[in-house]
């Protein structure tokens, strides 16, 4: 049952991305301190954290007593952009059209590795 719920969540999340309901980096980078954007990325991270608790595989692993905050999330987005540019050879245009939620996840994996 737990796996079914996770698969449904991931399917709906992917559908959400394909219909451009996510926040694209181009929009975010022009106003990264926009209160709505900050609340959005905080909510997305909270959902990702919750999902990890109920799944068998961790994607990123912050210390147990760590309290996620706005600055950490903004740093993770910057790290994610750097990773896409340097390691995956994404162009600026490709990054601009990429969902900031996935960029943040990429940065969180770098910031909080699970090993």
């Amino acid at each position: 049952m737990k796996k079914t719920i996770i698969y449904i969540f991931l399917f709906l999340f992917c559908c959400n991305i394909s219909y451009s309901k996510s926040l694209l980096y181009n929009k975010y980078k022009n106003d990264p301190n926009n209160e709505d954007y900050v609340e959005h990325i905080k909510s997305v991270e909270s959902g990702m954290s919750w999902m990890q608790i109920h799944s068998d595989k961790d994607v990123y692993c912050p210390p147990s007593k760590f309290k996620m905050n706005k600055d950490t999330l903004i740093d993770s987005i910057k790290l994610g952009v750097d990773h896409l540019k340097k390691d995956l050879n994404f162009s600026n245009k490709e990054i601009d059209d990429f969902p900031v939620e996935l960029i943040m996840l990429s940065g969180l994996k770098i910031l909080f590795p699970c090993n």
Side-chain angles (χ1 to χ4, degrees):
M1 180 65 174
K2 186 177 7 174
K3 285 187 178 188
T4 303
I5 292 171
I6 292 169
Y7 288 130
I8 290 170
F9 172 79
L10 290 173
F11 173 75
L12 292 174
F13 182 75
C14 290
C15 289
N16 190 28
I17 290 171
S18 68
Y19 288 112
S20 297
K21 298 279 184 185
S22 62
L23 175 61
L24 297 181
Y25 182 70
N26 185 39
K27 194 171 184 181
Y28 167 83
K29 77 176 182 180
N30 290 327
D31 192 8
N33 292 312
N34 180 308
E35 191 174 315
D36 291 335
Y37 299 166
V38 170
E39 288 304 312
H40 174 72
I41 61 173
K42 286 167 67 176
S43 295
V44 169
E45 189 284 325
S46 178
M48 290 176 185
S49 177
W50 181 87
M51 184 184 74
Q52 285 193 135
I53 291 170
H54 298 288
S55 71
D56 296 334
K57 184 172 188 231
D58 291 331
V59 179
Y60 61 98
C61 301
S64 60
K65 300 290 183 186
F66 184 78
K67 182 160 173 69
M68 196 65 68
N69 60 54
K70 169 188 161 185
D71 294 329
T72 304
L73 296 175
I74 290 172
D75 288 345
S76 71
I77 293 170
K78 290 175 186 174
L79 280 171
V81 169
D82 289 344
H83 171 68
L84 291 174
K85 283 181 179 179
K86 293 176 184 171
D87 300 332
L88 301 177
N89 296 318
F90 273 51
S91 69
N92 287 335
K93 171 72 172 124
E94 289 171 317
I95 293 171
D96 283 348
D97 294 336
F98 210 72
V100 75
E101 300 89 347
L102 295 178
I103 294 171
M104 179 179 68
L105 180 59
S106 176
L108 287 169
K109 288 161 86 172
I110 295 166
L111 201 55
F112 303 112
C114 290
N115 293 353

